[in-house]
Amino acid sequence: SQSEEETLTELHQASSVPYRTRNRAWMLKLNAQGRNVPEIAQILSCHEHTVRATIQRWRDRGWVGLWEAQGRGALKD
């Protein structure tokens, strides 16, 4: 929808949003514009699997799927 596309644009451009989240938003925006997986992967210099996984996370989890899952990265005390 138009609202979702605007929010994806805002997320992609927000410097306060983690880099990976911004890239995921960009992937989804490009996909919504009709770009296919190989094109998106080439534009973002990433693997096609990454693009497919992002699109699937979006379908499964919506907005929550754009953010890193709990338990990722180093353990913190």
Side-chain angles (χ1 to χ4, degrees), residues 3-58:
S3 172
E4 288 175 334
E5 193 165 339
E6 288 172 6
T7 302
L8 288 171
T9 299
E10 290 173 12
L11 281 173
H12 170 63
Q13 295 174 348
S15 61
S16 62
V17 173
Y19 175 77
R20 288 183 181 182
T21 302
R22 291 194 317 254
N23 271 357
R24 289 181 190 122
W26 191 12
M27 287 177 199
L28 294 172
K29 184 172 167 77
L30 290 170
N31 183 251
Q33 293 172 350
R35 302 284 182 117
N36 63 33
V37 170
E39 286 178 304
I40 297 169
Q42 184 176 15
I43 291 168
L44 275 81
S45 300
C46 67
H47 198 279
E48 290 178 21
H49 174 77
T50 303
V51 178
R52 286 188 185 94
T54 297
I55 293 168
Q56 189 60 47
R57 284 174 58 158
W58 171 257

